[in-house]
Amino acid sequence: MSKAKILILGGGFGGVFTALELAGSADVTLISDADHFLFTPMLYEYLSGEVEAWHIAPRYDELLNDNIHFVQATITGIDLASQSVSLKGHEPLDYDALVLAIGGVTNYVGVEGAEEFTLPFRKLSHADNLRQRMVAALDRIPPDFAPQDARRETTFAVVGAGASGCELSTKMADLLNDAFTRRALQGEPRVLVIEMGDRVVPGMGDQIRQFVEDALHESRVEVHTKTRVVKVTADEITFEHEGRQESLKTAGVVWTGGVKMSPLIDHLDVEKSKRGLLVVQPTLQLSQHVNVFALGDIAFYPDATPTLAGTAQLAFQQATLAARNIKAYMAGEEMHTKHFEELGEAISLGTERAAVLTGGKAFGGALARQARFALYTSRLPTWQHRLRVGASWFLGGTTPQPLLPLGLER
Ligand SMILES: Cc1cc2nc3c(=O)[nH]c(=O)nc-3n(C[C@H](O)[C@H](O)[C@H](O)COP(=O)(O)OP(=O)(O)OC[C@H]3O[C@@H](n4cnc5c(N)ncnc54)[C@H](O)[C@@H]3O)c2cc1C
């Protein structure tokens, strides 16, 4: 008897971990547009050179075993009625069971110029672009430049002071400050983080927020809360605070202001939440299509701690449930449900520090940075990869790579 065909759409946290758990139990195909997985929580360390691409972005052909087919293609349509998926430059594929794990896309919330002129920060290439932008800004500064001119040339804004915006802005500030010292430039760079709400990391608890606020201060990041970005151009950002608008010349604006659903999900005619997420049953199935499972950033799962929404932690935990239930569905057995809790929080703060919340206790500094590396090594997708990465960090260290002049850069 031929094995059931399972298509998994998306090779991120939800898709890869589901595929690895299902390997061998069915005819499993994973489809993704990139050739590598990305461990997004360490993209900041990739920006700073504390880790290399192979550590956090292993290629699927190294990661997936022989029991999983991998198709690198852009998914262009999902037809739940005919049970088929269309792909760019590839024959459509049909399925017996489908896993939807395509994650979200950057949400520019309609801000004028944001999509065209800001730098997104979700992929390896985005981190490369941002690093190049910082190097180019530094390279434009002659050694005798006045402090205020050097500061203007190296003004960067990060939009959104969620975990991502705070991790990124502290990392950028530390790298730029270090480059000013190494290059003997006068004055200091300027990094702003701009947030509409009244505080930084609004989704995190007060204990960890204190570490984040201290780190922003130590890295000399300017924090602008209750501030709304209204316009971005190639070299300027305009924001509004208490009814007053201000425009600043910038060398770059990075957008970490939120996530929205991909048009592929928008087009599905199934039950959605107010934010457009797919409402899933406690088994992760869509109620009108029992052979379709959804997880990660695109799924609204009612039985999870609210702070888990939109996190790798949730997608990672859901993958185990998805794989288990797909096996049960194929065997005609009873489905399982699970309540998802937070596994702890870890946030990178600049190039020397981090903060970790575990077992209700928060700690920070260089020790937390090491703990975060250890924690994330244990969460990498396969034990072979964990072993290689762990050994590389243990033996080779995780020192940041300074922003060197173009030509000497990595
Ligand atoms: C910079 C950054 C840092 C983060 N840090 C943390 C953190 O510290 N802790 C935490 O818990 N969460 C973190 N997150 C959030 C976390 O990455 C997501 O919640 C998680 O990745 C969601 O998993 P997913 O499987 O739903 O989607 P994703 O991991 O986003 O995977 C989606 C996959 O689908 C593919 N795809 C999408 N559209 C198509 C298409 N049309 N065709 C083919 N393939 C497609 C993508 O290439 C990707 O491989 C971070 C996110 C970012 C961007």
Side-chain angles (χ1 to χ4, degrees), residues 279-352:
V279 174
V280 292
Q281 299 298 302
T283 55
L284 293 171
Q285 289 164 293
L286 299 190
S287 42
Q288 304 98 320
H289 299 270
V290 291
N291 63 337
V292 180
F293 296 73
L295 70 161
D297 285 1
I298 57 167
F300 176 73
Y301 186 82
D303 195 12
T305 303
T307 49
L308 274 179
T311 65
Q313 281 197 42
L314 180 61
F316 165 79
Q317 294 188 70
Q318 286 175 332
T320 307
L321 179 63
R324 195 172 177 208
N325 279 344
I326 291 165
K327 286 181 197 167
Y329 171 76
M330 293 296 163
E333 290 169 2
E334 200 180 326
M335 300 271 171
H336 304 268
T337 61
K338 195 166 185 314
H339 170 73
F340 295 109
E341 287 283 350
E342 214 165 312
L343 302 171
E345 288 171 352
I347 180 163
S348 149
L349 296 168
T351 52
E352 307 301 329

Side-chain angles (χ1 to χ4, degrees), residues 6-16 18 29-31 75 77-80 84-85 95 97-104 262 264-266 268-272 277-280 284-286 289 291-300 315 318-319 322 326:
I6 300 176
L7 281 192
I8 300 177
L9 309 190
F13 278 87
V16 160
T18 304
T29 302
L30 178 79
I31 306 166
I75 303 150
I78 302 166
D79 188 337
L80 299 180
S84 84
V85 171
Y95 59 83
L98 180 69
V99 179
L100 298 172
I102 57 169
S262 135
L264 286 172
I265 300 300
D266 289 342
L268 292 180
D269 185 17
V270 293
E271 188 185 352
K272 312 246 178 78
L277 280 79
L278 301 173
V279 174
V280 292
L284 293 171
Q285 289 164 293
L286 299 190
H289 299 270
N291 63 337
V292 180
F293 296 73
L295 70 161
D297 285 1
I298 57 167
F300 176 73
Q318 286 175 332
I326 291 165

Side-chain angles (χ1 to χ4, degrees), residues 9-16 31-34 36-44 60 73-76 87 100-105 121-123 163-164 167 256 259 262 264 295-299 308-316 318 346-347 372 376:
L9 309 190
F13 278 87
V16 160
I31 306 166
S32 211
D33 47 9
H36 59 267
F37 168 75
L38 178 61
F39 193 87
T40 48
M42 298 208 103
L43 193 55
Y44 318 99
Y60 294 118
T74 301
I75 303 150
T76 51
L87 307 172
L100 298 172
I102 57 169
V105 295
F121 195 75
R122 296 181 63 80
K123 300 180 176 179
S164 210
E167 293 187 271
T256 66
V259 168
S262 135
L264 286 172
L295 70 161
D297 285 1
I298 57 167
L308 274 179
T311 65
Q313 281 197 42
L314 180 61
F316 165 79
Q318 286 175 332
I347 180 163
R372 187 170 175 274
Y376 284 167

